[in-house]
Structures are given as structure tokens and as C-alpha cells.
Amino acid sequence: MTAAPAVRRKRSVTELLLSIVLVLDATLIFFVALTAFGLKALAPAPAFIGGAVLILVFVALARMLHRPGALWVGWALQVGLVALGFILTPMFFVGAGFAGIWIYCFIKGQQLDRAKAEILNTQSMTTPSEETQ
């Protein structure tokens, strides 16, 4: 007896774009942890353990964006990226840049999702007799 293959849930364009941004954020955190350690802005344990925890949070959130409240956590993490500027001053600018990418992807994803829904609604409203003419 074989089990039916699992059907993958359709992800919205917004979800896809924001999950990409979160994975890029996780990559950024890796380099921030290395830099914080190398410049002695943080001791090794907080730099690497804190960095690893943040990386896991960003990657886990990228997979959970469909859950209620996950977008708010994503917004809070973007604010947290900017706040890393208190540890490494350039992060005020780099974090703001990544937050800008997050905002752009959020707005553009919402626009694309609305356009996609409109197209699907238009296609579903046609009757079979209209399609054959």
C-alpha cells in the first residue's frame, strides 16, 4: 500500500519574495557575527551563539510566513537588523537597506498577488460556451 504523494501548498508571491529576503537576512547575520567577533565588538560566545540563533530564527520564519502573525515577526526582525547598528555602526545603513528590500518585496508581492487573483477571477467567470466561440 503506497501513500498518496503530498500536495504542496500554493505559496503567494508575497510569501515567496519575503522568504527570499529572510534567507538573505540570515546570510547577512552570518557575516555580521564574523565581523562583530573580528572587530572585538562582541566576545566570541555572544557573537557566534547569538548569530547562530538569529540565523535559525530568520530561516525558520522564512518557512512559516503563511502562519498568522509571522509577517509581524518579520517586520520586527527588520527593525532588529537596523538596531544591530548599536553593536556595529554600519549596520544602521546596511540594516536599513535590507529593511528597504523587505518593504519593496512586501509591496510588490501584494500588487502581484492582487493582479494574479484578478486574472484567476476573470478566467473562472468565463463559461464553457464562451471558451468554444
Side-chain angles (χ1 to χ4, degrees):
M1 203 190 252
T2 60
V7 178
R8 293 184 70 173
R9 185 182 65 77
K10 298 253 186 209
R11 298 178 77 185
S12 69
V13 176
T14 304
E15 255 183 86
L16 291 171
L17 290 174
L18 294 182
S19 65
I20 291 168
V21 174
L22 288 170
V23 171
L24 289 173
D25 288 342
T27 306
L28 173 67
I29 293 296
F30 172 76
F31 291 111
V32 168
L34 288 176
T35 304
F37 168 71
L39 294 177
K40 297 184 180 9
L42 290 176
F48 293 125
I49 294 171
V53 168
L54 279 175
I55 289 169
L56 289 174
V57 168
F58 276 98
V59 171
L61 185 63
R63 295 291 299 156
M64 298 186 328
L65 279 175
H66 63 281
R67 297 190 184 265
L71 279 177
W72 289 107
V73 174
W75 286 99
L77 288 175
Q78 298 308 311
V79 171
L81 274 181
V82 176
L84 283 174
F86 291 111
I87 296 172
L88 294 171
T89 305
M91 279 305 295
F92 283 125
F93 304 105
V94 176
F98 273 80
I101 294 170
W102 172 271
I103 292 167
Y104 176 79
C105 287
F106 179 77
I107 292 169
K108 188 53 75 173
Q110 294 289 317
Q111 290 173 350
L112 291 171
D113 285 335
R114 281 193 297 274
K116 182 179 174 182
E118 186 177 312
I119 290 170
L120 290 175
N121 285 339
T122 304
Q123 287 177 351
S124 67
M125 290 175 35
T126 60
T127 61
S129 62
E130 291 174 342
E131 292 174 1
T132 58
Q133 292 178 353

